[in-house]
Amino acid sequence: MRKNDEEGVTPRPTLVLRGVQVFQGWLDRTAQEALLAEIRDVVRAAPLFQPVTPSGRRMSVQMTSAGDVGWIADRSGYRYADRHPQGTLWPDIPPTVRAVWDAVSGSPRAPDSCLINLYRDTAKMGLHQDRDEADTSHPVVSVSLGDDGLFRIGNTTRGGPTEAVWLKSGDVVVMGGDARLVYHGIDKTRPGSSTVLSGGGRLNLTLRVAT
Ligand code: MD6
Ligand code: FE
């Protein structure tokens, strides 16, 4: 299912942009479909929702989580919560998703959270830092599925020059080390660029050690 699939060998990214590692084409179509089948089960148990940020704006991205904790936003802030907004526990992180972490993270810790983001139509995600985790020395690993997304990477402080790369279905990103706290976001997607998601759109999974 993966390239360079040797135990204990940390594979080489195809692109490093501002310290962010990109493994382009990491998952082939078959592996992408296997992952999607598992994500569909997660979404059935923990439905996607559209969070409202503390500033009162509804995010354009739909989200849910798997794992011990899930990332949520509401009027009182951003945080990891041990339950879905509807009150149920989050489903377990699917094994094939976990396998991606094991292959590329270089981390001995297991992820305890997998955030699932769905971008439909004009959904996007503004530049942000991932810093709600208790210990940001652990990397964040992301998997892109479906439509292409323009991933923008800036600096560890707001402002300054940025660079962007189109993430395609099957690409995996590792944000760790000096790049762990860089600002990043999704400018836009290319609706209709992939047939992997039956309903269209772009799915991004982010795996983290959150607690
Ligand atoms: C996305 N990704 O690709 C949004 N965060 O839809 C992220 O926000 C992200 O890809 C941390 C590490 C990798 C990521
Ligand atoms: Fe992020």
Side-chain angles (χ1 to χ4, degrees):
M1 142 178 166
R2 317 165 232 150
K3 296 174 184 171
N4 305 316
D5 198 6
E6 291 168 69
E7 286 275 339
V9 176
T10 307
R12 204 181 263 287
T14 53
L15 173 72
V16 181
L17 200 59
R18 295 175 170 253
V20 176
Q21 298 179 299
V22 188
F23 297 82
Q24 290 157 312
W26 181 258
L27 300 165
D28 64 20
R29 176 84 182 207
T30 305
Q32 292 170 39
E33 284 171 357
L35 223 57
L36 271 177
E38 291 189 333
I39 296 303
R40 253 179 236 120
D41 290 341
V42 170
V43 170
R44 206 168 291 130
L48 292 159
F49 55 95
Q50 248 176 313
V52 175
T53 65
S55 67
R57 270 187 292 267
R58 189 169 289 278
M59 294 182 75
S60 58
V61 174
Q62 301 175 63
M63 56 181 65
T64 189
S65 287
D68 296 337
V69 292
W71 188 85
I72 61 168
D74 60 21
R75 292 310 296 256
S76 56
Y78 307 107
R79 65 191 175 279
Y80 285 95
D82 58 13
R83 284 172 191 268
H84 186 283
Q86 72 184 12
T88 51
L89 294 172
W90 307 101
D92 289 339
I93 297 176
T96 57
V97 181
R98 169 62 195 277
V100 176
W101 170 277
D102 291 344
V104 301
S105 71
S107 171
R109 283 281 301 268
D112 58 7
S113 187
C114 175
L115 177 64
I116 299 165
N117 287 142
L118 175 65
Y119 298 73
R120 285 245 160 91
D121 307 315
T122 57
K124 56 192 163 70
M125 188 173 293
L127 285 177
H128 65 276
Q129 284 175 306
D130 284 30
R131 58 173 181 204
D132 297 324
E133 299 73 32
D135 177 355
T136 56
S137 72
H138 303 293
V140 179
V141 171
S142 95
V143 180
S144 291
L145 297 166
D147 290 339
D148 303 346
L150 186 58
F151 186 60
R152 186 160 297 281
I153 306 170
N155 308 284
T156 52
T157 52
R158 270 206 184 278
T162 64
E163 290 173 86
V165 58
W166 280 99
L167 295 179
K168 294 183 181 302
S169 196
D171 290 355
V172 170
V173 167
V174 179
M175 208 178 270
D178 292 343
R180 176 61 177 75
L181 291 173
V182 294
Y183 278 86
H184 59 279
I186 293 288
D187 288 358
K188 58 182 174 183
T189 66
R190 270 187 192 130
S193 52
S194 166
T195 57
V196 172
L197 297 195
S198 46
R202 172 177 186 268
L203 263 183
N204 182 263
L205 319 176
T206 40
L207 287 157
R208 303 184 174 80
V209 178
T211 58

